[in-house]
Amino acid sequence: MKPVSLSEYKMKYPPTEHQEQTALFQWFDLQVRSGRNPWLAAAFAIPNGARTSMSTAKKLKAEGMKGGVPDILIPIGRRGYVGLALEMKRTKGGKVSKRQDWWAGVLQSQAWITFAPAGWEVARDLTNWDFGLGEWPWGKYGGRDADILGLNEPHAGPHVSGECRDQPLKPNWPRFPDAD
């Protein structure tokens, strides 16, 4: 049997979304403990994709849990945005659902920056960029940037110039999708 390199193994058996998100939160914890980025202590996960019993799922829905909400929120304002929302995806095979896309639009309309990074390393690079601790990672991932970053560039809306802060809330997004 021929030995397999780590990169070959990862291509054949990519980490799950859970493993990617766990690695990212381990990195967040390291950044907080080292003092490099104490703001990451405010990062939290939304457990929408958790597998639960039918009775627990009904209770959570009755309490207001909604499908498609981004996996990770960092409610720290930077770069003219209210916060950073990440919808984690696997390095191979992850796709943004209609509900996730809808939530990204809602958050962007309220001055959040949103990404759907493919893997924890990409999420790390985007987080470093957001906090001014690294360069914008465009061009780093070998021509597959749009797929890996979840979009072509940060969504810039009226909030970038501060226009929406003085405007009344007027939702202009489409109806919430019934199913993915």
Side-chain angles (χ1 to χ4, degrees), residues 102-118:
W102 183 86
W103 275 108
V106 169
L107 290 168
Q108 290 163 13
S109 76
Q110 299 305 304
W112 282 77
I113 187 166
T114 65
F115 294 104

Side-chain angles (χ1 to χ4, degrees), residues 122-138:
V122 180
R124 173 202 61 206
D125 292 348
L126 290 167
T127 303
N128 274 337
W129 167 81
D130 184 46
F131 281 93
L133 299 173
E135 296 295 317
W136 170 245
W138 189 254

Side-chain angles (χ1 to χ4, degrees), residues 13 48 51 53 71 73 84 89 93 97 99-100 107 115-116 122 125 135 140 154 156 165 169 171-172:
Y13 306 104
N48 274 349
R51 302 277 185 227
S53 67
D71 296 317
L73 296 179
L84 175 64
K89 295 297 172 197
S97 73
R99 287 182 180 186
Q100 291 166 341
L107 290 168
F115 294 104
V122 180
D125 292 348
E135 296 295 317
K140 184 175 180 178
R165 301 224 186 266
L169 178 62
N172 60 355

Side-chain angles (χ1 to χ4, degrees), residues 27 40 42 46-47 70 88-89 94 101-102 113 133 141 144 147 159 164 171 176 180:
W27 180 79
L40 289 176
I46 308 291
M88 292 298 296
K89 295 297 172 197
D101 190 51
W102 183 86
I113 187 166
L133 299 173
Y141 297 100
R144 301 180 337 196
D147 293 335
H159 57 273
C164 84
F176 186 74
D180 292 332

Side-chain angles (χ1 to χ4, degrees), residues 26-42:
Q26 289 172 344
W27 180 79
F28 284 173
D29 186 50
L30 181 63
Q31 298 305 296
V32 172
R33 285 187 289 127
S34 70
R36 184 165 189 252
N37 191 344
W39 293 107
L40 289 176

